[in-house]
Amino acid sequence: QEDLADWINKLLGLDHISASNLLDVLDNGVVLCHLASVIHEKADETIRNGTAKGSVPKIKGPFFEKASRRSFFSRDNIDKFITFCKQLGVHENLLFETNDLVQQNQPRNVLLCLMEVARIASRFNVEPPGLVVLEKEIAEQESREMANWENNHPHLKHSSSDTRMVYIQEGGCGVGESLRRASSEHIPPDGNRSDTTEDD
């Protein structure tokens, strides 16, 4: 949550959002709509100059700046943001429901969706949260190591999945593709990151 709070603060020029108040700040949908507007502007710019491809996602219609928490207007704002997420390309399995945020009964769904928004938005030169940067760095390192390993084992005729299994068994870390899953699994249902792990 702290990573997302810092990311939103930086992107919107704010300084009052923290891990402890993140959901309270977001649950009227106003900050989310501003976030979508900034991503829209970045996407429009990068697609126009040819550094990115695709259609430009945007918030449909005006949103309610003065929406009260748990009001019809806050729900409408959040619905607009969810529609924006769909246009952006967030997979339906990572979308959250309006009540997940309005009633804060499924904060984990909200956080996972926002992390995916941040990942996709990075394609449009939107600086991502630190965790997303770390994911990319590890994935790139793992890809290089895997390529080097395959070059040193040209005699193997396995399928790509079999080759990868041999690579991991011989000491390949495999953390690049698993970090996203691990980060998701360690956000418990109440949305607060656990400082402890359980042994099987």
Side-chain angles (χ1 to χ4, degrees):
Q1 284 183 243
E2 183 176 356
D3 217 25
L4 282 171
D6 290 343
W7 177 65
I8 294 172
N9 276 331
K10 188 171 184 178
L11 202 56
L12 300 184
L14 305 174
D15 60 10
H16 66 280
I17 303 177
S18 65
S20 61
N21 70 9
L22 177 62
L23 294 172
D24 290 337
V25 171
L26 298 182
D27 70 4
N28 69 351
V30 176
V31 168
L32 291 179
C33 288
H34 281 293
L35 181 65
S37 296
V38 170
I39 295 173
H40 161 77
E41 292 173 1
K42 292 285 189 179
D44 184 57
E45 178 183 349
T46 54
I47 290 173
R48 283 178 181 274
N49 65 29
T51 57
K53 296 181 179 180
S55 57
V56 179
K58 61 182 179 180
I59 288 282
K60 291 187 176 180
F63 56 91
F64 300 96
E65 286 276 3
K66 303 296 183 180
S68 300
R69 299 177 66 186
R70 300 189 178 184
S71 66
F72 164 81
F73 301 107
S74 68
R75 291 176 180 274
D76 190 73
N77 285 345
I78 294 170
D79 285 341
K80 284 183 169 66
F81 179 75
I82 293 172
T83 299
F84 170 84
C85 291
K86 293 177 182 178
Q87 292 184 19
L88 186 64
V90 175
H91 192 279
E92 61 180 7
N93 291 341
L94 290 173
L95 295 171
F96 63 92
E97 300 289 339
T98 303
N99 279 339
D100 292 345
L101 180 55
V102 171
Q103 298 180 1
Q104 297 190 23
N105 54 10
Q106 292 290 342
R108 182 176 183 273
N109 294 347
V110 179
L111 299 178
L112 293 179
C113 180
L114 288 174
M115 286 300 296
E116 187 65 10
V117 167
R119 291 185 186 100
I120 297 174
S122 66
R123 303 172 188 170
F124 305 122
N125 292 333
V126 175
E127 185 176 350
L131 180 59
V132 175
V133 174
L134 181 61
E135 285 178 351
K136 289 184 176 181
E137 290 175 350
I138 292 177
E140 289 171 358
Q141 178 182 351
E142 183 193 9
S143 179
R144 289 192 297 269
E145 291 176 353
M146 180 66 176
N148 290 336
W149 185 89
E150 289 177 333
N151 289 336
N152 292 329
H153 297 76
H155 59 286
L156 290 178
K157 301 298 183 181
H158 300 291
S159 68
S160 59
S161 59
D162 289 339
T163 301
R164 187 170 193 81
M165 181 61 67
V166 175
Y167 165 68
I168 293 174
Q169 289 173 347
E170 291 193 3
C173 60
V175 294
E177 66 181 21
S178 63
L179 180 59
R180 181 186 303 187
R181 185 182 305 113
S183 65
S184 300
E185 291 173 350
H186 284 81
I187 300 177
D190 63 1
N192 295 314
R193 187 175 300 279
S194 174
D195 293 328
T196 60
T197 57
E198 294 181 1
D199 295 327
D200 292 334

